[in-house]
Amino acid sequence: MSRLYNFSAGPAMLPEEVLKIAADEMLEYKTTGQSVMEMSHRSKEYQAIFDETEAILREVMSIPENYKVLFLQGGASSQFAMVPLNLLNKSGKADFVITGQWAKKAYSEAKRYGECKAVASSEDKTFSYIPKLDKSTFTPDADYFHICQNNTIYGTRFTELPDTGNVPLVADMSSCILSEPVDVTKYGLIYAGAQKNMGPAGLTVVIIREDLIGNAKDFTPTMFNYKTHADNGSMFNTPPTYGIYILKLVLEWIKASGGLEAMKIHNEKKAAMLYDFLDSSKLFKATVQGKDRSLMNVPFVTGNEELDAKFVAEAKSKGFLNLKGHRSVGGMRASIYNAMPIEGVEKLVEFMKEFEATNA
Ligand SMILES: *Cc1c(COP(=O)(O)O)cnc(C)c1O
């Protein structure tokens, strides 16, 4: 067996330690005589796993008491509808910053349920930067203000949060959650699909301030109402039981590695290594400049499509997987989430140097 360096944007690499524990516990979890996958979600044994997962997530992210943590399904894409169905309940208005495809999808879906405004966009330059925000353009009585905190496809991130005053800030954190500390009190709602930095696909985590629960639109499907899940401890129906268990292992790994402060240092180190090389390279060029650069997703190009394709193919043959850029951008993208070890980035940079020497 040989595990290669996987630069996939998601589903993505998980820590090897986590996979080993999961493998050891695959046939029998502790002394329960069964795999976690086979457990009733109503059992005492499973409830213990579930409660522990929530407790460690609260500890690692310092989630205050007045926020509920929900373990749902449907991906971040379901949240594009669930957020407006539940939150567009006073003025029926919401503001959006259009920083990429995911932000745009959140905006288009919300428009079906209320009056939505794009306060800024970076589409003019293929979303290669975070647009400057002007507070005077914000809707003062908006029910929420939505951002996509890290733009997985384009490799940008917000380093400064918009000042929305009393308007709840809603953030899609699918590709940056758990990568560094965040001040949860600055948000009304945080959501993330698990498959980038938390665990396997199939689990969606929502962290929501309690006062935002309970005012969903009348026609909201029961399963799309946050109150349904909040009132039932995320067990109104069967939650994604195995995904939650893997998240528990990932959180234990993060805790043992020093928590989110340590993740931030680890992630900054990897990103700096890659960006420093790209900035000094004669062949490769980063597509994002300055402070908007993502720590998680690093897109780059050679400027020549054939050479890009050659690079992706040669990289694959050397054991660097999934470096092809998103189909809408082309070029390459290295996703370097928490589980990507420093050596993975070191070796990738070494390989890029070799490729440059023979192809520049
Ligand atoms: C991957 C991703 C999504 C889509 O997630 P699904 O779980 O596939 O619905 C949405 N937003 C961001 C920022 C993402 O990275």
Side-chain angles (χ1 to χ4, degrees):
M1 187 202 68
S2 74
R3 285 181 52 79
L4 304 174
Y5 293 113
N6 182 1
F7 293 89
S8 169
M13 257 180 120
L14 285 168
E16 198 166 304
E17 294 91 326
V18 164
L19 296 177
K20 280 185 173 148
I21 296 170
D24 280 347
E25 294 178 340
M26 179 57 77
L27 293 183
E28 183 183 20
Y29 178 73
K30 297 198 174 156
T31 52
T32 62
Q34 57 198 311
S35 169
V36 175
M37 249 185 263
E38 301 168 311
M39 281 181 185
S40 162
H41 60 296
R42 309 275 178 210
S43 67
K44 193 164 88 321
E45 291 84 357
Y46 186 73
Q47 190 68 50
I49 293 173
F50 183 96
D51 292 344
E52 183 69 8
T53 311
E54 177 174 344
I56 313 179
L57 182 64
R58 285 186 174 276
E59 182 188 341
V60 164
M61 286 186 73
S62 308
I63 301 173
E65 284 286 325
N66 62 326
Y67 285 73
K68 285 264 193 267
V69 173
L70 307 176
F71 295 116
L72 310 177
Q73 306 195 42
S77 300
S78 291
Q79 293 308 309
F80 298 164
M82 207 162 166
V83 169
L85 283 168
N86 284 267
L87 267 54
L88 278 180
N89 52 29
K90 293 191 190 83
S91 67
K93 298 177 198 165
D95 286 344
F96 290 76
V97 185
I98 310 300
T99 51
Q101 273 194 27
W102 298 120
K104 218 169 153 174
K105 283 186 174 163
Y107 172 58
S108 316
E109 188 68 13
K111 275 208 282 196
R112 305 179 63 210
Y113 304 110
E115 202 179 310
C116 296
K117 179 177 171 187
V119 296
S121 167
S122 51
E123 193 161 15
D124 61 335
K125 290 184 182 150
T126 335
F127 300 117
S128 58
Y129 66 101
I130 298 292
K132 276 246 168 330
L133 301 180
D134 172 0
K135 215 184 151 181
S136 71
T137 62
F138 297 2
T139 306
D141 62 342
D143 289 330
Y144 68 96
F145 188 109
H146 182 279
I147 61 168
C148 179
Q149 190 140 332
N150 182 77
N151 297 282
T152 325
I153 298 175
Y154 305 93
T156 63
R157 63 161 173 161
F158 281 81
T159 49
E160 205 182 310
L161 294 179
D163 175 10
T164 62
N166 289 327
V167 175
L169 180 64
V170 173
D172 178 352
M173 283 197 196
S174 295
S175 54
C176 59
I177 195 160
L178 302 180
S179 66
E180 61 180 335
V182 291
D183 180 354
V184 175
T185 65
K186 295 248 175 350
Y187 302 84
L189 190 155
I190 292 168
Y191 65 89
Q195 69 272 25
K196 277 67 187 244
N197 225 359
M198 299 187 115
L203 166 65
T204 310
V205 174
V206 171
I207 300 163
I208 180 171
R209 216 174 59 210
E210 276 168 356
D211 62 286
L212 298 174
I213 300 172
N215 289 300
K217 291 180 184 294
D218 286 343
F219 55 82
T220 303
T222 307
M223 277 295 287
F224 268 49
N225 193 326
Y226 290 126
K227 189 166 164 42
T228 303
H229 302 287
D231 287 352
N232 290 283
S234 299
M235 296 244 192
F236 173 75
N237 71 324
T238 317
T241 53
Y242 197 75
I244 293 167
Y245 157 75
I246 297 290
L247 171 58
K248 177 173 101 76
L249 299 182
V250 168
L251 289 164
E252 284 166 350
W253 173 81
I254 290 174
K255 225 181 117 173
S257 313
L260 296 188
E261 284 295 347
M263 286 298 126
K264 180 180 158 102
I265 293 167
H266 167 69
N267 290 324
E268 282 176 345
K269 198 165 162 188
K270 287 182 292 179
M273 206 182 277
L274 199 44
Y275 286 120
D276 286 350
F277 168 69
L278 289 167
D279 289 344
S280 70
S281 170
K282 289 195 177 62
L283 180 64
F284 299 102
K285 186 172 161 291
T287 57
V288 177
Q289 302 303 320
K291 71 169 177 46
D292 299 341
R293 285 174 164 178
S294 168
L295 294 180
M296 300 280 97
N297 313 96
V298 182
F300 56 95
V301 293
T302 63
N304 172 332
E305 274 179 40
E306 270 168 43
L307 209 51
D308 286 351
K310 186 177 177 210
F311 174 79
V312 171
E314 273 183 37
K316 187 176 174 195
S317 75
K318 294 269 158 85
F320 305 103
L321 306 182
N322 294 310
L323 280 165
K324 193 170 188 303
H326 188 269
R327 59 192 185 282
S328 67
V329 199
M332 281 73 70
R333 171 179 51 174
S335 294
I336 48 175
Y337 300 113
N338 287 349
M340 173 60 66
I342 300 265
E343 306 81 69
V345 178
E346 272 168 2
K347 292 198 171 130
L348 173 65
V349 169
E350 247 168 67
F351 169 67
M352 288 169 79
K353 284 181 181 162
E354 281 168 36
F355 187 87
E356 176 168 331
T358 46
N359 292 278

